[in-house]
Amino acid sequence: MKRFIYVGALAAATAYLAFLQPRAAGQASATAAGGPSQARQMLDTYCVDCHNTQLKTGGIALDAVDLSAPAHDAKTWEKALRKLRGRLMPPPGNPQPPQKDIDSFVAWMETSLDSHKGGPTAGYVPIQRLNRTEYAASVKALVDVDVNPSDVLPQDIKVDGFDNIADALSVSPAFLDQYITAARQVAKLAVGSPNPRVSTAVYSISANQNSDNPLPPGLHGGIRFKNNFPTDGEYRITLTDLGVGPYSNALENESTIVILIDGKIVFRKSIGGRADLSLADREAGTGRAKIMERFSKIPVTVQAGVRDVVVAFVDHAEADTGENLEKLQGYGGLTGSAAPLSRMAELRQNVEISGPFKPTGISRTASRALIFVCDPKATGEAACAKQIAENLARRAYRRPVSA
């Protein structure tokens, strides 16, 4: 069916062009016969008696218009051409110009207007920027970098509850500086550095309890979050508090802690049970510190990119005995208020990720795949740089860009 539609459209276009060809030839001959001097003669003879600066009939004064630049009064001439084509002007009872003079004038005027066509002259339009929510979405689409807009840009002004009103999205020099600073941060995250500085990201347990992003099946009592690893290398993960305190019940039963990165287990170790409970009883604070050292600065090797990180407990620790699931009764005595009410180990406070240590370079992340669309070794550095710039500019402006 589409084939017949395309053939029909092609035939219609061909017929239309064939219809235009003789008309264009007629226009060319009429244009040659017409001109500003002949047009002025016809206007003075048949039109200016009514349409002059004194009478200004219909709001038009044809004795004052400049026929050498008819495009300056395009609206006036468009109205006049419609009247002439319909033989509504000059009005009945007034002297009428010969049809050939009308055809010559119309052809010359249409050609003059078409050769100087242009859009309407716009008034003053201030620069309208993206609000910070739109900016964050555009950055994500352009270079696949997640930014918190409240961290990089100031609060937008609201008008009647809306923060995307054009009049409120003005651009000041100070605002432009903030946008440039934000763009530099985004560029660094997108491109990456083969030797970045060692930094630490801290993820709060309470702030990352998201019911819309649950833990994988078989795990409980943990958190799930996204972390940006700037380069390939070794990173160290620290679990700051697992409830191993002076009045801890977490060591009575053995639990298994796992760390997953993009669904792959990179760390697995048990806590609690007879050995850990005996160590804590014998050495008190020193023994508890030794237990927590097993979960401090855990080395993992990760490739660059934004990775899904899960820290949680394996479910089988709950099923050993029903007592693990029961909550203890609180006691408000001298030391009872400090004792936890759960018999199971639990994540408390924060999970810290530090690194990179021993960086080995940058692998092909999602951001770099969007930016570096060619290989300079294959196409040459200059040609590849141009291709990268053209691709990024076209996607940023959402339209083809000039050289």
Side-chain angles (χ1 to χ4, degrees), residues 210-217 224 308 310:
N210 186 1
S211 59
D212 295 332
N213 190 23
L215 296 174
R224 187 174 194 167
D308 182 61
V310 174

Side-chain angles (χ1 to χ4, degrees), residues 129 135 139 152-154 171-188:
R129 61 175 175 83
Y135 180 85
V139 165
V152 297
L153 295 173
V171 180
S172 65
F175 223 119
L176 189 59
D177 286 342
Q178 290 174 302
Y179 265 84
I180 292 174
T181 301
R184 286 173 176 159
Q185 294 177 5
V186 169
K188 289 180 180 179

Side-chain angles (χ1 to χ4, degrees), residues 181-395:
T181 301
R184 286 173 176 159
Q185 294 177 5
V186 169
K188 289 180 180 179
L189 291 173
V191 175
S193 172
N195 294 293
R197 292 182 297 177
V198 175
S199 61
T200 300
V202 179
Y203 296 92
S204 169
I205 304 299
S206 58
N208 288 277
Q209 299 297 326
N210 186 1
S211 59
D212 295 332
N213 190 23
L215 296 174
L219 301 179
H220 75 278
I223 62 171
R224 187 174 194 167
F225 54 87
K226 299 282 188 181
N227 183 72
N228 180 37
F229 297 90
T231 185
D232 301 352
E234 179 185 298
Y235 294 82
R236 296 170 187 173
I237 302 176
T238 298
L239 312 183
T240 58
D241 189 353
L242 292 173
V244 180
Y247 306 101
S248 173
N249 302 311
L251 301 181
E252 293 182 2
N253 299 285
E254 183 176 324
S255 302
T256 303
I257 300 175
V258 292
I259 299 176
L260 293 83
I261 296 181
D262 284 349
K264 181 181 179 181
I265 297 177
V266 296
F267 174 81
R268 183 187 184 101
K269 193 172 286 293
S270 62
I271 183 174
R274 181 175 298 179
D276 284 348
L277 186 59
S278 176
L279 177 61
D281 288 342
R282 291 194 319 268
E283 301 185 22
T286 303
R288 292 191 296 270
K290 289 180 180 180
I291 294 172
M292 286 303 301
E293 282 180 4
R294 302 204 304 259
F295 307 96
S296 177
K297 299 180 180 179
I298 303 166
V300 294
T301 301
V302 188
Q303 287 189 333
V306 178
R307 306 294 179 186
D308 182 61
V309 181
V310 174
V311 181
F313 294 89
V314 178
D315 273 343
H316 69 74
E318 294 183 2
D320 290 343
T321 172
E323 293 181 354
N324 293 346
L325 303 178
E326 297 176 1
K327 297 296 182 181
L328 301 176
Q329 296 295 323
Y331 173 69
L334 181 62
T335 60
S337 60
L341 301 181
S342 175
R343 286 187 171 94
M344 296 185 297
E346 57 182 342
L347 288 174
R348 295 183 178 182
Q349 293 188 7
N350 306 316
V351 173
E352 299 178 356
I353 300 180
S354 301
F357 302 94
K358 305 174 186 177
T360 59
I362 306 176
S363 57
R364 190 167 177 79
T365 64
S367 295
R368 290 175 67 86
L370 289 172
I371 298 172
F372 301 109
V373 294
C374 59
D375 184 0
K377 295 181 180 178
T379 61
E381 291 189 358
C384 186
K386 181 180 179 182
Q387 185 177 347
I388 290 171
E390 288 177 346
N391 175 70
L392 193 61
R394 177 185 59 79
R395 294 179 58 246

